[in-house]
Amino acid sequence: MVGSRRCGVVGLLSAAVLLAAGADAARAQTTCDPCAVGVVFDGPWARNDELRAGFEEEIAALAAPRFTVEFPAGARRVADWTAEGARAAVEALLADPDVDVVLTYGPVSSSHAIDRGGLPKPVVAAFVLDPEAQGFPLETTAAGERVSGVPNLAYVTFTGDRADEIRRLQEVAPFRRLTYLVNEALLAAVPVLETNLRLGLLEVGAEAEIVGVGASIDAALAALPPAGEAVYVTPLMQLPAGEFDRLVRALRERRVPAFSYWGRSEVDSGLLASLYLETDLRRLARRVALHVQRILGGEDAGGLPVDFRRNQRLTLNMATARAIGVHPSWRVLTEAELLRNEPANVTRRLSLASAAREAVAANLDLLAADRSVAAGRQAVRAAGAALRPQVTASGGAETIDRDRAESSFGLQPVWTSAGSVGVSQLLFSDGARARAAIERHVQASREQSRAELRLDVAQGAAVGYLDVLRAKAFERIQRENLTLTRSNLELAQSRRRIGVARASEVIRWENQIAINRRSVIEAGAARSVAEIALNRLLQRPLEEPFETAEVDLDDPALLANAATVEAYIDNPFAFAIFRDFMAAEALARSPELRQLDAAIAAQERAVLAARRAFWAPTVAAGGDLTAVQTAGGLESVDARDLPFPITRPSALNWSFGVSASLPLFTGGARRAERTRAEVELDELGLARRAAAERVEQRLRTVLHRAGASWAGIDLAADAADAARRNLALVTGAYEQGVLSILDLIDAQNAALVAEQSAATAVYDYLVDLMDVHRASGRFGLFMEPAGLAAFADRLRAFFRDAGYAPRPRP
């Protein structure tokens, strides 16, 4: 309301000035050649030179060739971040007869130029934060455009609905009191600003506090009210970088939600949120350049539009939110761009290769297969043990009562001990040799079975990882689509304000926002589901967070990476050769075939043993050495006392012998065993041929799919680019009232589908490529550089032998 009254007063003053200074105004509208443009900065700022260069480039480009525009070095004024300094700088250029147009590049100097009245020459104020709150002149033309209505005065303001802005910020972090941090020079230049900010917040049921900020934040921090619930940081370009960082840290330490007017960069620096993307200085420079061009062409600056629509997008710093204890709702999270969204202290960082390796290391089935292979190694040793020498030892002792010994006339000793050592060696046994050889082949089969399982696990983990990346891409696209819908809603609201759109259009976009928010929530849920599935494959806690890395299509570990694909499958002839090469690789390395080869080798040895069983005997040699000791027996009796002669037993005895055995008749069992073994060998041979056909078929099939999905990447990207360009055209036509809201919604939906298809195309190719790895019997992700180099050498040699030289990659 204050702003409206002030606008009316300024309008009356402007009319009076026109009557009193008509000659000056007319002179200001006269073209010049060359035209000198003077600029005023509020104070030293790190981006002043960048800002000035961008504005000068745009102004000179638009003015040429009709006008020659100069930017004299003497007409560049840099104030000292005070209202007095800005006023002096502006007045100096207004009084300089060699300056034709004045540009003010700061909110303080812009405020003075607008409040001054009676401008003797055109002024374009490039930075006006809030014309209503600052009480600046505003008029609405018949065409619905807002202008200053003051002769020689044009300005650019960032259009926005303050009440809607406050309500949206309250959704992020509820508050009743909002403390504005404002450049104290701006407060001094625009005394009405503080009152109007307070009145504006009362309209939405909130209270405002205003704190001026100088070149240091100490006084501002001391002035922050203890009951303040939130802080709104307006542009504080006068603060050195170190001071702004101190402000951010202090607000976080106090657990104060802080919102940024400037945009995304300050949120990235640590403030909680902003409703705007970064202020587009290039677009702003183009708008100012258009104003200068029209002014030089003879138009009155007071009739030029003041509104400059900023790109809105809610941005949240999730690290700050966690630090200050703010927990935004699903409604907010679905719409916002989330910075620093990785959970705190996340130490897990996965890539495609590391995910596959971790799955292989942790998979329970593979761990069980490792145990089976380890047990098999012992079975091989046990089977071979029968062919090595066997050594046995035995011993014992016996004692009887003396009466019984005496009753035997001393022939039976009271105590007897004996020990023997026996050695045997199987000299020839084809059955034993066959069992040892068969067990070795069975062990090789176990190892190949484990290798097959390892490939399956690696493929599953790689596809699971790619599913996570795909889900993240879909979530990002849905968020961007929601942002686009929000932008279209703002466009519809602008069209509604100027009377070229109906209320139903605004409602239709509000409905579309609700639909898009639901899509964002569903995309987020799908991403969480994919992460849980991957964690399960990696034997991790199901909701343990992790970071991901995108896949580089040029990575040699992909085997069919970008260089290989472009060089070897960019035409049907080369692709056919490449399929032949990969098929040969698969047939040579397939663990399924190697497993069958081991089974066939085992069965061949079983057939040989069955045939030899008819004539090959089992030959063995063995011997033993026995030592006997006695007490109380014959050694204690005098042989002369006995009525008959005796021979004392030897204390050490040995024996050695060789034996051979050959079954002569087994009731036909040997013949049946041989026939069964031969039939089973034939069965395995047929199974191996069938498996080889399946391996080759699978390899060639997935290669065709991968080739098609590779070609689809560029096509999908082209379609997405076309859809984006079409959307831009339709949006422009909708903004001009040429096309309807349905045309824009159709174009937006088409762009959404095209973006999803473009993202899907990349991951479709990578998933197909993981299938190629599995079908080829090797995972390049596990290969060392030397192995990758050897693969590349074999590939080049295969093409060379086929008489084809691939075209080099451009």
Side-chain angles (χ1 to χ4, degrees):
M1 292 178 7
V2 174
S4 299
R5 289 197 297 269
R6 185 181 175 91
C7 180
V9 172
V10 173
L12 293 174
L13 290 175
S14 300
V17 170
L18 271 176
L19 293 175
D24 287 340
R27 188 164 53 253
Q29 303 300 322
T30 303
T31 57
C32 47
D33 188 22
C35 300
V37 176
V39 298
V40 176
F41 294 96
D42 284 356
W45 186 39
R47 299 184 66 182
N48 275 352
D49 290 340
E50 172 196 347
L51 182 67
R52 177 184 56 79
F55 276 64
E56 290 181 1
E57 178 184 345
E58 290 291 337
I59 291 171
L62 280 179
R66 184 177 177 187
F67 304 104
T68 301
V69 179
E70 297 177 345
F71 303 90
R76 299 173 191 163
R77 302 301 172 96
V78 180
D80 57 359
W81 295 116
T82 65
E84 295 76 11
R87 181 193 63 78
V90 172
E91 291 299 329
L93 292 184
L94 289 177
D96 188 342
D98 294 328
V99 174
D100 300 295
V101 180
V102 176
L103 304 182
T104 57
Y105 287 163
V108 182
S109 54
S110 295
S111 298
H112 172 72
I114 295 171
D115 265 343
R116 179 186 188 278
L119 295 170
K121 62 183 65 172
V123 173
V124 180
F127 285 92
V128 174
L129 305 182
D130 189 329
E132 287 90 350
Q134 294 176 258
F136 290 163
L138 274 177
E139 294 181 2
T140 303
T141 67
E145 291 183 332
R146 298 199 303 176
V147 299
S148 74
V150 176
N152 282 339
L153 174 61
Y155 63 85
V156 179
T157 182
F158 303 124
T159 306
D161 185 332
R162 192 184 328 132
D164 179 66
E165 180 181 16
I166 297 302
R167 281 191 289 267
R168 292 182 65 193
L169 292 178
Q170 286 176 324
E171 290 182 357
V172 176
F175 59 84
R176 287 278 301 167
R177 178 178 295 179
L178 182 65
T179 299
Y180 286 92
L181 298 183
V182 184
N183 185 343
E184 60 184 15
L186 182 60
L187 290 175
V190 188
V192 74
L193 177 61
E194 184 170 346
T195 300
N196 283 350
L197 286 176
R198 286 197 173 95
L199 292 175
L201 255 68
L202 286 176
E203 295 177 2
V204 293
E207 300 176 8
E209 293 290 338
I210 315 298
V211 173
V213 181
S216 170
I217 66 164
D218 293 328
L221 291 177
L224 283 179
E229 297 176 356
V231 166
Y232 193 100
V233 181
T234 65
L236 302 176
M237 293 179 288
Q238 80 282 4
L239 280 181
E243 286 295 288
F244 184 82
D245 292 340
R246 283 184 59 212
L247 172 64
V248 172
R249 288 196 299 270
L251 292 172
R252 288 185 63 166
E253 290 170 0
R254 297 186 184 195
R255 299 172 66 86
V256 174
F259 308 113
S260 170
Y261 175 94
W262 189 258
R264 188 183 190 277
S265 63
E266 292 187 344
V267 178
D268 195 37
S269 297
L271 297 186
L272 175 62
S274 177
L275 294 179
Y276 305 101
L277 293 175
E278 193 66 12
T279 301
D280 190 341
L281 295 180
R282 176 63 66 178
R283 284 184 58 232
L284 180 62
R286 193 168 295 116
R287 168 60 68 86
V288 171
L290 286 170
H291 280 1
V292 172
Q293 181 191 40
R294 294 173 67 175
I295 290 169
L296 296 180
E299 293 188 51
D300 180 12
L304 301 180
V306 302
D307 289 320
F308 180 77
R309 191 161 64 94
R310 301 175 72 189
N311 293 322
Q312 288 200 13
R313 182 169 189 176
L314 176 61
T315 306
L316 285 177
N317 187 315
M318 295 305 294
T320 299
R322 290 189 292 269
I324 66 177
V326 169
H327 306 287
S329 66
W330 284 111
R331 178 183 178 88
V332 171
L333 292 175
T334 56
E335 186 174 352
E337 178 186 2
L338 306 179
L339 306 182
R340 308 289 193 273
N341 194 32
E342 299 80 11
N345 301 320
V346 175
T347 57
R348 287 182 65 204
R349 289 173 174 80
L350 293 179
S351 65
L352 181 62
S354 67
R357 291 193 184 97
E358 187 174 331
V360 166
N363 184 266
L364 295 179
D365 291 331
L366 263 178
L367 292 176
D370 288 339
R371 301 299 186 273
S372 175
V373 170
R377 282 195 292 269
Q378 304 311 311
V380 171
R381 294 184 61 185
L387 299 174
R388 292 186 286 272
Q390 311 292 309
V391 179
T392 60
S394 65
E398 182 182 35
T399 184
I400 64 175
D401 60 274
R402 188 170 298 276
D403 292 341
R404 190 168 58 167
E406 291 175 353
S407 65
S408 65
F409 302 102
L411 296 178
Q412 188 169 1
V414 175
W415 181 84
T416 304
S417 65
S420 66
V421 176
V423 178
S424 65
Q425 172 65 56
L426 194 62
L427 299 180
F428 180 81
S429 174
D430 191 66
R433 291 177 179 274
R435 285 190 293 273
I438 289 171
E439 194 60 48
R440 287 194 297 271
H441 293 308
V442 170
Q443 176 66 2
S445 178
R446 293 190 194 101
E447 292 172 352
Q448 292 304 317
S449 177
R450 181 182 61 178
E452 181 181 0
L453 179 59
R454 186 171 183 262
L455 288 174
D456 290 336
V457 170
Q459 180 195 25
V463 172
Y465 183 84
L466 294 172
D467 285 342
V468 171
L469 295 185
R470 187 201 306 267
K472 283 188 170 183
F474 274 20
E475 184 179 16
R476 172 185 54 80
I477 291 170
Q478 289 291 355
R479 288 184 180 278
E480 292 173 351
N481 187 57
L482 176 58
T483 300
L484 179 59
T485 303
R486 167 70 66 178
S487 177
N488 288 335
L489 171 61
E490 294 167 3
L491 179 59
Q493 290 170 335
S494 298
R495 284 163 47 87
R496 173 64 176 162
R497 280 195 297 270
I498 64 177
V500 297
R502 295 171 295 182
S504 59
E505 286 193 22
V506 175
I507 295 173
R508 180 65 180 84
W509 285 117
E510 290 173 345
N511 175 65
Q512 191 66 33
I513 283 180
I515 294 173
N516 292 159
R517 278 179 167 168
R518 178 178 177 182
S519 297
V520 170
I521 292 174
E522 291 174 348
R527 186 252 311 151
S528 296
V529 168
E531 291 173 343
I532 289 173
L534 180 58
N535 272 333
R536 183 191 65 79
L537 291 173
L538 304 184
Q539 298 297 314
R540 291 280 192 167
L542 293 183
E543 297 208 30
E544 183 179 85
F546 56 85
E547 294 180 3
T548 56
E550 280 295 337
V551 180
D552 183 5
L553 291 179
D554 286 325
D555 187 351
L558 295 178
L559 298 185
N561 58 348
T564 303
V565 168
E566 292 181 9
Y568 292 106
I569 68 171
D570 64 347
N571 63 76
F573 183 76
F575 191 25
I577 300 174
F578 184 75
R579 292 196 304 274
D580 289 341
F581 169 76
M582 292 298 292
E585 290 278 305
L587 292 174
R589 297 189 59 87
S590 169
E592 295 95 330
L593 297 183
R594 288 184 171 185
Q595 189 175 352
L596 284 169
D597 288 339
I600 289 172
Q603 192 61 30
E604 286 174 343
R605 188 62 182 89
V607 169
L608 180 61
R611 291 171 179 171
R612 287 178 174 175
F614 286 94
W615 56 265
T618 299
V619 181
D624 63 69
L625 178 65
T626 304
V628 179
Q629 289 185 345
T630 62
L634 291 178
E635 73 279 0
S636 63
V637 176
D638 189 344
R640 293 172 298 180
D641 297 335
L642 295 176
F644 47 84
I646 62 170
T647 302
R648 299 180 187 274
S650 175
L652 189 65
N653 300 291
W654 61 271
S655 67
F656 177 79
V658 176
S659 65
S661 66
L662 177 66
L664 297 179
F665 181 70
T666 60
R670 284 178 296 179
R671 186 175 299 278
E673 191 66 27
R674 182 191 64 184
T675 303
R676 180 182 66 83
E678 291 172 343
V679 171
E680 289 179 350
L681 180 60
D682 290 340
E683 177 189 359
L684 286 173
L686 293 172
R688 207 274 184 193
R689 289 173 55 189
E693 290 177 351
R694 289 194 298 271
V695 166
E696 184 172 0
Q697 178 193 10
R698 181 175 62 187
L699 187 282
R700 292 181 180 275
T701 299
V702 296
L703 270 176
H704 275 291
R705 290 175 181 168
S709 57
W710 169 260
I713 293 176
D714 287 340
L715 297 176
D718 291 343
D721 179 66
R724 285 191 294 269
R725 288 187 282 110
N726 178 66
L727 177 60
L729 293 174
V730 174
T731 301
Y734 171 73
E735 189 172 7
Q736 297 170 10
V738 177
L739 294 178
S740 70
I741 183 175
L742 295 179
D743 295 317
L744 182 53
I745 290 176
D746 287 343
Q748 182 176 337
N749 288 336
L752 171 64
V753 172
E755 289 288 349
Q756 290 176 332
S757 297
T760 298
V762 174
Y763 298 115
D764 282 347
Y765 170 68
L766 290 171
V767 169
D768 289 339
L769 196 54
M770 294 305 101
D771 291 341
V772 171
H773 282 225
R774 172 62 185 88
S776 66
R778 76 170 73 230
F779 253 79
L781 303 175
F782 297 157
M783 293 171 64
E784 298 297 329
L788 294 172
F791 174 84
D793 290 341
R794 290 196 303 276
L795 177 61
R796 286 190 290 269
F798 193 90
F799 268 79
R800 185 171 56 251
D801 294 342
Y804 181 82
R807 289 179 293 183
R809 185 182 183 187

